[in-house]
Amino acid sequence: MATLDSIDRRLLAELQAEGRVTNVELAQRVGLTAPPCLRRVRALEEAGVIKGYHAELDASKLGFAITVFAMVSLKSQAEEDLRAFEDHIRTLPEVRECHMLNGEIDFILKIVSKDLQSFQELLTSKLTPAPNVASVKTSLTIRTAKQEPGVPLD
């Protein structure tokens, strides 16, 4: 875990909230001048604390009307089978997140799709018949009450 001082934490909080803020504005917000602010941000990037910068897109405005969570159980939990499943999932652009779990379910997937028919096609042609898949249980989201990227930095 990285050792961060209060200024680093404030920098991260500001960047997490608004990744496109200019260095000058960021420096003002955290009480620095621009050069040391940029040095600190670069150091956080080089240390891997900041992994990248992304735009938050509105899925529905891009035609992705539904979000589904799929709980996947595999026939085998041997490491090579787990990696093969993960490799397969990486080829499916509709799968936006894939998390391995402990317990009865092996993986939970967050999937976006244009409509139910498109999701069913993905489910029946690419997910369920994937090697080593024992079962897939799905839940369609009705609404999202909270979607907060990143981590708490308070």
Side-chain angles (χ1 to χ4, degrees):
M1 188 170 106
T3 304
L4 305 172
D5 65 16
S6 63
I7 294 173
D8 288 336
R9 289 187 168 285
R10 289 185 6 232
L11 285 168
L12 293 171
E14 292 292 336
L15 286 169
Q16 187 170 252
E18 187 182 353
R20 290 186 60 170
V21 64
T22 66
N23 183 58
V24 172
E25 176 65 23
L26 180 61
Q28 290 173 347
R29 291 181 190 180
V30 300
L32 292 174
T33 59
C37 179
L38 185 58
R39 279 194 298 274
R40 280 177 174 261
V41 171
R42 294 281 188 260
L44 291 165
E45 290 170 347
E46 289 170 11
V49 175
I50 298 174
K51 293 171 54 174
Y53 300 89
H54 309 278
E56 184 177 346
L57 306 179
D58 186 325
S60 65
K61 289 184 179 174
L62 295 168
F64 294 94
I66 65 171
T67 301
V68 178
F69 287 91
M71 287 68 69
V72 180
S73 295
L74 301 181
K75 296 173 189 169
S76 165
Q77 288 73 35
E79 188 61 33
E80 67 184 52
D81 294 324
L82 296 171
R83 289 194 192 285
F85 178 77
E86 291 169 341
D87 290 344
H88 175 69
I89 290 304
R90 287 186 191 99
T91 70
L92 306 176
E94 300 89 347
V95 177
R96 304 311 299 166
E97 295 181 31
C98 173
H99 303 273
M100 185 176 175
L101 307 176
N102 71 338
E104 294 179 39
I105 303 299
D106 294 309
F107 289 91
I108 187 166
L109 312 177
K110 180 181 176 184
I111 302 168
V112 296
S113 190
K114 294 188 181 285
D115 53 39
L116 284 173
Q117 184 176 353
S118 299
F119 171 69
Q120 182 181 1
E121 175 67 23
L122 173 76
L123 180 66
T124 58
S125 69
K126 296 178 182 170
L127 188 55
T128 304
N132 197 35
V133 171
S135 69
V136 179
K137 297 177 183 174
T138 61
S139 293
L140 178 68
T141 59
I142 303 219
R143 70 175 168 227
T144 300
K146 183 177 182 179
Q147 186 171 331
E148 191 75 30
V151 297
L153 291 165
D154 300 343

